[in-house]
Amino acid sequence: MDIIITGATGGIGRCLVDCALASNTTERVYCRYRDEQKFRNLFGQRNTKIVEEKHDARYLEESSSIINELYRNRPQSLACIYTMFTIQPIKRMGTYNTEELKDNLYTNVLDLMVLTNALLRFRQECSVQLRLINIDSGAAYKPLEGWAMYSASKAYVNMILKTVQLENPDIKIVTYEPGVVDTQMQEIIRKTDEKVFGQVDRFNEYFRKKQLHRPDEIAKDIWERFVESWEGIKFNEGYDQT
């Protein structure tokens, strides 16, 4: 199986790349990232298993080196794990500027739509077994002050993937809710002004009481349940510590 991981330098994404590199059943790992220096620091100059793509969603193009490599390699089975999302900017409606709105939607929604559209076309043309795994958030299901763009984009992505599932019932699709994970996103949340996000104290308490899940635990759970096997019973799945 070949694996695509978007957000390959982030907490869960980085740990998923580690899982893929350690796996004997993964032939190639297609890594999409934004920060090249961070990628180099994590994974070195070159790993024979890695097909890499530095990507800025603000400058979307029809061509993608990952998609081109897929057509060249033509794997029989392929999994794509979407972890590239941003919570920024955390601001109240009425205070955004247009560029902030665009940047959030490019990264969280449009980029995923373009990639998914290309993967579906590739699947049709090359008869590949495809599975799509999305990192979900409770924010997709309830409004949170200061999180309008993040919450809306997560809900948007869920509806996209539900529609893909409806149109392609033979594709394995799951949206996985990991809970509160110790990542850079949590650091950003904890530094938010209480006037913008009134629940910031709750997230600081999670941190103080060591109630954050480790990203390597989440990555291992995703890998074992949805890459090495398939335990997706329903569209929405979550992290179960038991």
Side-chain angles (χ1 to χ4, degrees), residues 132-187:
L132 305 176
I133 303 151
N134 176 53
I135 303 300
D136 198 8
S137 169
Y141 307 96
K142 60 182 178 182
L144 291 168
E145 55 193 337
W147 289 26
M149 292 304 298
Y150 181 68
S151 296
S153 63
K154 281 293 191 178
Y156 199 131
V157 165
N158 281 350
M159 187 54 68
I160 292 167
L161 294 179
K162 283 182 178 180
T163 305
V164 172
Q165 183 74 93
L166 181 65
E167 295 172 345
N168 305 272
D170 56 327
I171 295 180
K172 294 176 177 177
I173 302 178
V174 66
T175 183
Y176 174 99
E177 211 285 287
V180 187
V181 188
D182 191 9
T183 63
Q184 186 179 12
M185 184 180 290
Q186 286 298 312
E187 294 178 21

Side-chain angles (χ1 to χ4, degrees), residues 177-183 186 190 199-215 217-218 239 241:
E177 211 285 287
V180 187
V181 188
D182 191 9
T183 63
Q186 286 298 312
R190 291 195 297 270
Q199 299 185 49
V200 67
D201 283 347
R202 178 161 62 93
F203 283 81
N204 277 301
E205 188 174 0
Y206 291 149
F207 180 72
R208 287 192 300 268
K209 292 185 175 180
K210 301 185 185 303
Q211 294 176 331
L212 303 178
H213 300 312
R214 291 186 357 227
E217 294 174 335
I218 299 300
Y239 179 56
Q241 294 177 279

Side-chain angles (χ1 to χ4, degrees), residues 34-51:
R34 287 175 286 189
D35 188 332
E36 184 166 6
Q37 187 57 55
K38 189 174 181 180
F39 184 83
R40 296 281 167 255
N41 292 341
L42 289 170
F43 303 112
Q45 289 298 317
R46 189 68 180 173
N47 183 300
T48 55
K49 241 183 178 182
I50 289 179
V51 178

Side-chain angles (χ1 to χ4, degrees), residues 107-120:
T107 299
N108 289 358
V109 177
L110 190 56
D111 186 46
L112 183 145
M113 290 182 71
V114 171
L115 177 59
T116 304
N117 190 61
L119 291 177
L120 293 172

